[in-house]
Amino acid sequence: IMAWAGLEINTLSILPLIAKSHHPRAIEAATKYFMTQATASALVLFSSMTNAWHTGQWDITQMTHTTSCLILTSAIAMKLGMVPFHFWFPEVLQGSPIITGLILSTIMKLPPIALLYMTSHSLNPTLLTLMAIMSAALGGWMGLNQTQIRKILAFSSISHLGWMAIIIPFSPKLTMLNFYLYVLMTSAIFLTMNTVKVLKLSTLMTSWTKAPALNTMLLLTLLSLAGLPPLTGFLPKWLIIQELTKQNMAPTAIIISLLSLLGLFFYLRLAYCATITLPPHTTNHMKQWHTYKPTSTLIAISIVMSIMLLPISPMIPTIL
């Protein structure tokens, strides 16, 4: 009941931030968000009640009843926006302002991830693995032809959730590490987009004159989010593949690694638009004015950490 109450308070607190622009799309996004999150919270309560009904145990971290475990797994997946409960997330992110989008992609994922961490041994591992592979596949596949940056970042989030969910039955701490690094890299990208005031690819192409140094760092942050070595984003993928191989799940590791290449394509396209290219036609684009405002310290710190944390990898096994 306390978990349900916490999730409900969490949902209600973000709704005014989504709907504050009073644009029809923002109102639609707030409604979709409320409906899905309320349903997922109710399912958490329902799974707990079903388990208590059959076993007399109310504690959701000690569930034993099979149906209750399945319902709880589905409820947390719906809260997070994993496939096949992912449809609300890109739409909600697209209807929200950039900073609200940042909160939705990072802080609002923390309560369900915390629940996932606490109840990891009660969840259904087969269903989790299946949803994880589908999330990695669909997150990459559906992001390919998007032109809106917020939607691309939403599908990127779905595919990262796949990586987090696949390892939770074997190493919950590794899931949390992946989540923290994902939050770090996504925050850096959202804050950069907010600084240069960019929402879609066509405006990203001409934004490099505003803050050339920031756009160059954006290139590296995007490649880090794609998981390329020697950047920070490679660290969780490397450790997850290693752990899956130890658990005799090498085929699963190969499948999810190949599926992450789909995501690499649209990260590269974003990076290419951000730093290297102008549109290949003769229309004269107005170059945007160089902004001489200093970049905020928060962006600087998050970008540097998003790029340079790989050397700490020898410390990770001692923490996990």
Side-chain angles (χ1 to χ4, degrees):
I1 288 169
M2 289 305 293
W4 171 79
L7 291 171
E8 283 297 332
I9 293 166
N10 192 35
T11 302
L12 293 171
S13 62
I14 193 80
L15 288 176
L17 288 176
I18 300 173
K20 72 176 178 185
S21 66
H22 301 298
H23 189 277
R25 173 156 292 183
I27 305 298
E28 182 190 340
T31 311
K32 283 179 179 172
Y33 186 74
F34 175 72
M35 298 294 280
T36 48
Q37 298 298 308
T39 309
S41 303
L43 278 175
V44 170
L45 200 57
F46 179 63
S47 68
S48 167
M49 285 171 65
T50 313
N51 191 64
W53 185 22
H54 283 279
T55 63
Q57 174 62 266
W58 276 97
D59 190 344
I60 56 170
T61 58
Q62 296 176 29
M63 280 193 177
T64 47
H65 189 246
T66 320
T67 314
S68 304
C69 293
L70 277 170
I71 295 170
L72 184 66
T73 311
S74 307
I76 294 175
M78 196 185 290
K79 284 295 274 186
L80 286 166
M82 282 172 65
V83 176
F85 310 106
H86 65 290
F87 296 102
W88 63 272
F89 190 53
E91 299 299 324
V92 169
L93 216 59
Q94 182 56 31
S96 312
I98 281 239
I99 294 297
T100 310
L102 166 62
I103 294 169
L104 280 169
S105 302
T106 54
I107 301 167
M108 299 305 284
K109 293 271 168 83
L110 186 57
I113 283 279
L115 267 182
L116 194 69
Y117 179 76
M118 288 194 305
T119 59
S120 55
H121 52 274
S122 304
L123 302 174
N124 188 299
T126 315
L127 183 63
L128 267 178
T129 307
L130 193 63
M131 286 198 298
I133 289 173
M134 287 197 305
S135 295
L138 269 162
W141 201 261
M142 293 175 77
L144 291 180
N145 61 348
Q146 299 295 333
T147 56
Q148 297 286 340
I149 290 171
R150 282 169 296 181
K151 275 200 173 175
I152 291 176
L153 289 169
F155 288 118
S156 140
S157 176
I158 291 167
S159 94
H160 274 271
L161 283 169
W163 282 87
M164 290 177 219
I166 203 158
I167 202 67
I168 193 93
F170 312 112
S171 176
K173 285 184 179 175
L174 206 46
T175 298
M176 296 310 288
L177 173 75
N178 193 346
F179 177 68
Y180 297 143
L181 293 179
Y182 161 74
V183 166
L184 182 69
M185 294 181 285
T186 306
S187 303
I189 289 170
F190 268 107
L191 290 169
T192 305
M193 297 299 178
N194 187 52
T195 305
V196 292
K197 296 289 179 280
V198 163
L199 293 175
K200 51 183 188 286
L201 287 180
S202 56
T203 47
L204 183 63
M205 287 175 179
T206 56
S207 71
W208 62 271
T209 47
K210 265 189 178 179
L214 193 58
N215 268 33
T216 310
M217 298 312 280
L218 177 63
L219 164 84
L220 290 170
T221 313
L222 283 162
L223 294 180
S224 180
L225 196 61
L228 292 184
L231 304 166
T232 304
F234 178 61
L235 174 58
K237 285 186 166 61
W238 176 26
L239 292 172
I240 286 171
I241 290 168
Q242 190 180 356
E243 185 63 35
L244 284 173
T245 313
K246 279 183 191 169
Q247 301 290 340
N248 294 325
M249 290 178 71
T252 315
I254 291 166
I255 290 166
I256 203 163
S257 306
L258 289 174
L259 289 172
S260 71
L261 293 176
L262 289 167
L264 177 62
F265 175 80
F266 59 75
Y267 291 125
L268 282 175
R269 193 171 65 164
L270 266 176
Y272 185 68
C273 290
T275 47
I276 305 166
T277 186
L278 282 175
H281 51 67
T282 54
T283 315
N284 287 327
H285 272 268
M286 290 290 288
K287 296 288 188 294
Q288 300 187 35
W289 285 96
H290 195 309
T291 49
Y292 286 99
K293 286 188 301 183
T295 306
S296 81
T297 317
L298 181 62
I299 300 180
I301 292 169
S302 57
I303 285 180
V304 168
M305 289 177 74
S306 300
I307 296 168
M308 297 188 172
L309 283 188
L310 189 64
I312 68 157
S313 50
M315 291 166 56
I316 303 293
T318 59
I319 301 166
L320 297 178

